[in-house]
Amino acid sequence: MSAKQEVIFSDTLPGAAHWSMVVPKGRTVRFKDLEGGANLSVLFYNPANPLERYNAPDTLKCQHTFKLTEGNCLYSDMGRIFCSIVRDDTGWIDTVCGVANKKKVAEKWGERDYQTERNQWKQNGYDALLVEVAKYGLGKRDLAANLNLFSKVSTDEAGNLSYDPQHSKADDCIELRFEMDTLVVMTTCPHPLNPAEAYPYQPVEVTVFESEPMLESDICLNHRKENARGFENNRRYTSSTQQGFDTSSHHHHHC
């Protein structure tokens, strides 16, 4: 973020929390790992049509990658780009491990409930996302494969997954530049492969500011030829929706 870009909104999401917001096209969201070792599970939907949501297989396939980082774009299942990763201090964003459910959290860290533990209860990522999407009339069938920001899971030749507990450091930032209006659903519940003995409560700072104009030399635009097509799909979609708004704003004369 440059000095001339004003902060529109900033807040801290505590550990084991969930939240959501609609980010307009032309804004950038910076996520900061405040203490190191954070995990932020995120999902993306089109607020105008929640049936359009983040598509992990298409995102990875069209960019020929297993992980995501700076230069990559996050695609919807309509071939459009929700947002571009314009900064990633960690160099690796997990795309395949999903979130832990109540059973997995209970097995790993013991079972607690909100009634007895209040804010120190052990929430799980699956239920956290489910509670959040319910605010928009969505349910279990709408939980697609999510991203895990600040988490790295690599694989060996045999396909075994390996979680890196030292991956994200304090003050590491990931910035997403939004290319269309997007509903962002997030939770700071721990990664399902986190080996910590005690349930981790790692906070993440969320800051929103105006994006700088995208140049022809943009790293995300030029990362893959497929990305140029994705941006063109966005352009066509945005122009058609804007035309729709324009026509609906006209006064209609009735006989």
Side-chain angles (χ1 to χ4, degrees):
M1 186 175 72
S2 67
K4 63 183 179 182
Q5 290 173 288
E6 290 185 26
V7 171
I8 297 167
F9 172 85
S10 188
D11 198 7
T12 297
L13 198 59
H18 50 83
W19 193 51
S20 59
M21 60 180 175
V22 174
V23 182
K25 177 182 184 292
R27 300 253 172 102
T28 294
V29 181
R30 181 182 63 211
F31 301 101
K32 180 188 284 189
D33 182 351
L34 293 176
E35 299 176 1
N39 178 71
L40 186 72
S41 302
V42 287
L43 284 171
F44 307 93
Y45 301 85
N46 181 349
N49 175 20
L51 289 174
E52 181 179 4
R53 67 277 311 258
Y54 170 68
N55 188 302
D58 286 357
T59 296
L60 300 179
K61 180 176 63 178
C62 79
Q63 295 175 99
H64 311 280
T65 185
F66 172 76
K67 65 177 174 70
L68 294 173
T69 187
E70 184 177 322
N72 289 129
C73 298
L74 308 183
Y75 281 83
S76 81
D77 48 16
M78 299 292 285
R80 294 188 274 263
I81 296 172
F82 279 126
C83 55
S84 307
I85 306 172
V86 294
R87 174 182 175 182
D88 176 19
D89 294 347
T90 72
W92 186 301
I93 295 170
D94 170 42
T95 64
V96 297
C97 285
V99 288
N101 58 21
K102 184 176 182 179
K103 182 173 181 287
K104 190 171 185 68
V105 167
E107 288 172 352
K108 186 174 285 192
W109 291 297
E111 197 164 355
R112 291 185 183 178
D113 59 45
Y114 182 74
Q115 282 70 23
T116 53
E117 303 293 341
R118 294 298 187 240
N119 287 337
Q120 291 303 303
W121 75 307
K122 295 171 180 173
Q123 175 66 294
N124 66 86
Y126 179 80
D127 287 340
L129 291 176
L130 204 55
V131 168
E132 207 56 42
V133 299
K135 298 175 182 177
Y136 305 91
L138 305 175
K140 291 180 180 179
R141 58 184 280 183
D142 302 298
L143 292 187
N146 61 280
L147 291 180
N148 289 310
L149 307 189
F150 303 111
S151 293
K152 176 181 179 178
V153 177
S154 53
T155 180
D156 61 17
E157 292 296 323
N160 299 306
L161 296 174
S162 176
Y163 176 85
D164 181 359
Q166 306 299 321
H167 178 55
S168 183
K169 308 296 189 288
D171 295 330
D172 274 355
C173 292
I174 296 173
E175 292 182 1
L176 304 181
R177 181 186 65 204
F178 283 82
E179 316 296 356
M180 60 185 281
D181 294 352
T182 304
L183 167 61
V184 184
V185 180
M186 61 198 99
T187 174
T188 48
C189 288
H191 190 279
L193 297 185
N194 191 322
E197 290 187 16
Y199 183 101
Y201 293 94
Q202 306 304 124
V204 173
E205 181 185 79
V206 182
T207 304
V208 182
F209 50 92
E210 291 286 345
S211 303
E212 292 186 328
M214 188 173 71
L215 305 175
E216 287 187 18
S217 59
D218 185 76
I219 183 175
C220 300
L221 174 64
N222 295 289
H223 184 70
R224 290 282 178 185
K225 288 181 180 178
E226 289 84 353
N227 288 1
R229 290 202 291 270
F231 278 106
E232 173 60 17
N233 289 342
N234 277 43
R235 189 189 68 80
R236 296 184 181 197
Y237 174 70
T238 303
S239 62
S240 66
T241 53
Q242 284 176 342
Q243 287 171 359
F245 289 134
D246 290 342
T247 55
S248 65
S249 65
H250 291 161
H251 294 291
H252 296 284
H253 298 285
H254 299 283
C255 297

